[in-house]
Amino acid sequence: ACFRLLCSLLIPALFLSGILCVCLVVLLCGIRLWIQQRRKQRSSAGRDGKQPLLVAFFHPYCNAGGGGERVLWCAIRTLQKKYRNVTCVVYTGDRDATGEEIVEGAFRRFNIKLIHPVKFVFLEKRYLVEASLYPHFTLLGQSLGSVFLGWEALLKCVPDIYIDSMGYAFTLPLFKYLGGCRVGCYVHYPTISTDMLSVVRNQDTRFNNAAFITNSPFFSKFKLVYYYFFAFMYGLVGSCSDVIMVNSSWTLNHILSLWKAGACTSVVYPPCDVQTFLDIPLEVEKSTSEYSIVSIGQFRPEKDHPLQIRAFAKLLKEKRVGQEPTLKLILIGGCRNQQDEERVNNLKRLCEELGVGNDVEFRINIPFEELKRHLAEATIGLHTMWNEHFGIGVVECMAAGTIILAHNSGGPKLDIVVPYEGRVTGFLAENEDSYAEMMACIFSLSPEKRLEIRENARRSVHRFSDQHFEDTFLLSVEPLFK
C-alpha cells in the first residue's frame, strides 16, 4: 500500500517536473531566438559593406577613477588601434554624466585618448549591484543583482563579443547562452577566494567578516557553508568564458582553483602609465623641512586607510623630536558614491582623534597632473590593502621615484615589490607597528641609499607598461575575433 502510494505521488511529480523542464528549455530557446533577431536588426553595414563587429564592455562604474577603469580605456584604445571594423560599447550606470564627459574624464585622469568614438549604453538599475542594498548575503545579492543589470544591458544592446571588465562573472552565461555572444572577462579580483574561506574558517575578524560572526561557532559554520556554495556557483559561471584574463599571479592562482579553465586563462598585467611617471627627474634629495608620504587608492574599505593613519600617527609619536623635518601624509583617491564620501569623513574624524588632523591631507578625485606632482615630491609611497589583487598605485609610486612600502601579500608581494636583478625595489609590512617601523627605517637611510632603491624600482616597472599590456591583451582576446 505504501509502495503504491509512493508511486502514485512520485510518477505524477516526475511527469510534472519533466513538463516544466521542457517548458523552461522552450522558453529559453525562444528568448535566445528573439535576442538573435534583435541583433540582426540592430545596425546597417559600414562603408566597406561589412556590418561592424560590436564589442561590449560591462563596466557599470566606468566613470570612477580607479585602476579598473584604466584597464577599460586602455583595452578599448588597443582594440581601436588593431581592428578597423570594430565598434566599442560600454554598459555603464553613470547616468549623471554624458558620454563626452566620461571620455574627457578618462583623458584627464589617465592620460588616455581614444582613437574613435565609443557608444555608451546607460543602465538604470545599477543600484542592484550596490553593496549597501544587501547588508547580509552581500556576495550573493550583488551577483544576482548583476544578472538583472546584465539582462537590462542585453535588452538594450546585443553585442557580438561581450567582455566583463569589472568582475561580474554571473553575467557571462547570460550573454553566452541567451545572447549568443563570444564572451571574455578581465578579472581584477575574484569575487570569492580561498583566502576568504580561510578567514571565515579561522574565525578572523576582517572588514568582510563581522565580529558577531567570528564570535559564534554556529554563524561561522553557516557562513562557511554559504561561502562554499557561492564558490561552487562562481566556478560554474566563470568556467563558461571563452577567454579569461587575470591581472596578477595571485589572482591567477585563485581563478585556476575556482574556475578550472586553465587552457583559456592568462595573466595580463594591467596597464600602468609608467612612462609618464618615469619622465619625472630622479636625483638625490635636497635638504628639506618637510617630507611627504603619499597613498594612492580609491576610498573603499578594503584599502584600509585607517591602518595608514594609525601607523602614521605612531610614527609621528615616536619620531617628533628636536629639529627633525616635519612629516605629511597625503591620501589621494577617488570617491564613487555617498558611502565613499562618508568613509572619508570617518577617516578625517580618526585623524582628529589621533591628533594628526593637521598632518594628513585628503586629495579626492584630483586631475592627473596634480597626482603626478604629489608623487614627484613624495619620499614614501604607502599601500596597506591586504591581498591587493595587483596594485597599479604601487607601480605608479615606484615609477615616479617614491620608495614603496606595500602590504606583504597579494600582487605587491608576488609580482611587484620583488627584487630586480637581485636588488631591493621597495619594502613590505603587515600591521601598524611594522608599517611605522619600516617608515622610520626608510627615513633613516641616507639620501644616496634611497636614490639607489628608487632607481632599482624604476628599472623593474617596464613590464607593467601600456605597450606590454597592449601586446598581451591582444594575444589573449584573439580567439574572440576568429
Side-chain angles (χ1 to χ4, degrees):
C2 287
F3 179 73
R4 280 199 301 272
L5 177 64
L6 189 64
C7 287
S8 65
L9 292 172
L10 188 61
I11 291 170
L14 289 171
F15 182 69
L16 186 62
S17 298
I19 291 175
L20 288 173
C21 286
V22 170
C23 290
L24 183 62
V25 169
V26 170
L27 177 65
L28 291 175
C29 288
I31 292 171
R32 181 184 165 98
L33 287 171
W34 174 64
I35 289 173
Q36 296 305 307
Q37 202 60 36
R38 285 171 66 93
R39 174 193 281 158
K40 288 175 185 174
Q41 297 168 354
R42 124 193 119 196
S43 64
S44 57
R47 289 179 187 174
D48 58 359
K50 293 180 181 178
Q51 192 163 332
L53 198 66
L54 217 59
V55 181
F57 291 83
F58 191 75
H59 209 105
Y61 294 92
C62 75
N63 204 29
E69 287 66 59
R70 189 165 212 289
V71 170
L72 169 71
W73 301 118
C74 271
I76 290 173
R77 184 180 63 183
T78 301
L79 291 181
Q80 289 180 343
K81 278 186 192 176
K82 169 78 173 178
Y83 299 102
R84 286 187 178 182
N85 201 37
V86 157
T87 299
C88 290
V89 176
V90 177
Y91 296 119
T92 178
D94 293 301
R95 294 186 297 143
D96 56 345
T98 64
E100 291 78 11
E101 288 170 341
I102 292 171
V103 171
E104 173 58 32
F107 177 66
R108 185 168 47 83
R109 290 188 189 119
F110 305 119
N111 203 29
I112 295 171
K113 195 164 186 66
L114 300 180
I115 300 164
H116 304 296
V118 170
K119 180 181 174 184
F120 290 91
V121 175
F122 291 93
L123 306 175
E124 296 173 17
K125 296 183 176 62
R126 188 176 71 179
Y127 65 89
L128 292 174
V129 296
E130 293 278 356
S132 57
L133 192 64
Y134 312 100
H136 306 294
F137 299 100
T138 310
L139 292 180
L140 188 60
Q142 285 183 291
S143 297
L144 292 175
S146 73
V147 175
F148 287 102
L149 189 63
W151 177 246
E152 181 192 349
L154 186 58
L155 289 183
K156 287 185 173 179
C157 176
V158 186
D160 299 295
I161 295 171
Y162 170 80
I163 299 175
D164 164 44
S165 52
M166 210 178 163
Y168 293 108
F170 282 74
T171 62
L172 294 167
L174 187 70
F175 278 83
K176 181 167 186 174
Y177 299 117
L178 289 185
C181 312
R182 282 159 277 172
V183 301
C185 59
Y186 188 96
V187 184
H188 297 274
Y189 197 80
T191 305
I192 191 165
S193 65
T194 51
D195 290 327
M196 289 167 69
L197 291 169
S198 68
V199 162
V200 178
R201 194 185 302 110
N202 299 333
Q203 295 182 249
D204 292 338
T205 302
R206 297 262 180 180
F207 75 89
N208 58 353
N209 197 39
F212 82 90
I213 291 175
T214 61
N215 294 333
S216 166
F218 171 77
F219 282 126
S220 288
K221 283 186 174 60
F222 180 79
K223 187 169 184 177
L224 194 59
V225 170
Y226 157 57
Y227 266 19
Y228 273 114
F229 167 74
F230 185 84
F232 172 73
M233 295 300 296
Y234 183 59
L236 281 183
V237 297
S239 63
C240 77
S241 290
D242 299 307
V243 164
I244 302 165
M245 294 167 280
V246 298
N247 64 346
S248 69
S249 304
W250 182 87
T251 308
L252 175 70
N253 293 336
H254 287 287
I255 289 300
L256 288 178
S257 170
L258 292 162
W259 291 11
K260 295 178 172 53
C264 58
T265 306
S266 56
V267 176
V268 178
Y269 287 132
C272 307
D273 192 10
V274 293
Q275 192 54 55
T276 301
F277 294 105
L278 290 170
D279 290 339
I280 297 171
L282 200 61
E283 50 196 33
V284 178
E285 303 156 26
K286 299 182 179 82
S287 59
T288 177
S289 60
E290 181 180 283
Y291 286 119
S292 64
I293 301 163
V294 167
S295 158
I296 305 174
Q298 285 183 311
F299 289 100
R300 304 203 306 255
E302 62 269 25
K303 296 297 182 182
D304 206 352
H305 288 93
L307 173 57
Q308 298 179 4
I309 294 166
R310 289 194 301 271
F312 179 68
K314 191 175 185 67
L315 173 70
L316 287 190
K317 188 177 178 183
E318 295 172 357
K319 290 287 287 180
R320 184 168 284 168
V321 289
Q323 298 298 311
E324 287 188 57
T326 57
L327 302 178
K328 176 83 65 181
L329 174 62
I330 303 171
L331 303 179
I332 300 172
C335 277
R336 303 164 299 171
N337 48 39
Q338 194 172 345
Q339 284 91 348
D340 287 356
E341 288 167 13
E342 288 171 9
R343 203 166 287 120
V344 169
N345 291 331
N346 291 335
L347 291 172
K348 288 178 179 176
R349 281 193 286 273
L350 177 62
C351 291
E352 296 299 329
E353 289 169 16
L354 296 173
V356 295
N358 295 328
D359 304 295
V360 180
E361 285 182 19
F362 289 83
R363 309 298 297 155
I364 298 162
N365 297 332
I366 62 172
F368 182 77
E369 285 305 314
E370 189 179 340
L371 165 69
K372 191 175 168 183
R373 179 173 60 78
H374 282 299
L375 282 173
E377 295 169 356
T379 301
I380 294 176
L382 194 60
H383 162 278
T384 48
M385 180 176 166
W386 173 71
N387 271 343
E388 169 78 88
H389 40 295
F390 179 71
I392 287 181
V394 174
V395 173
E396 289 175 344
C397 285
M398 292 167 72
T402 68
I403 294 188
I404 192 67
L405 175 55
H407 199 282
N408 189 27
S409 63
K413 178 183 181 180
L414 295 175
D415 292 309
I416 307 172
V417 191
V418 294
Y420 179 72
E421 295 180 352
R423 295 176 180 176
V424 174
T425 58
F427 300 91
L428 300 167
E430 291 181 6
N431 52 39
E432 186 181 319
D433 290 338
S434 61
Y435 269 99
E437 186 182 322
M438 199 56 72
M439 282 190 280
C441 175
I442 292 167
F443 283 120
S444 71
L445 297 172
S446 68
E448 292 76 19
K449 182 61 179 174
R450 283 202 289 264
L451 179 63
E452 183 186 319
I453 295 169
R454 291 156 69 202
E455 287 173 339
N456 294 340
R458 275 196 157 186
R459 282 194 292 269
S460 75
V461 298
H462 287 286
R463 66 193 191 281
F464 306 123
S465 66
D466 284 3
Q467 186 57 53
H468 190 266
F469 169 81
E470 289 183 9
D471 295 341
T472 52
F473 177 78
L474 286 174
L475 201 61
S476 297
V477 299
E478 195 177 351
L480 297 176
F481 291 84
K482 286 179 178 175

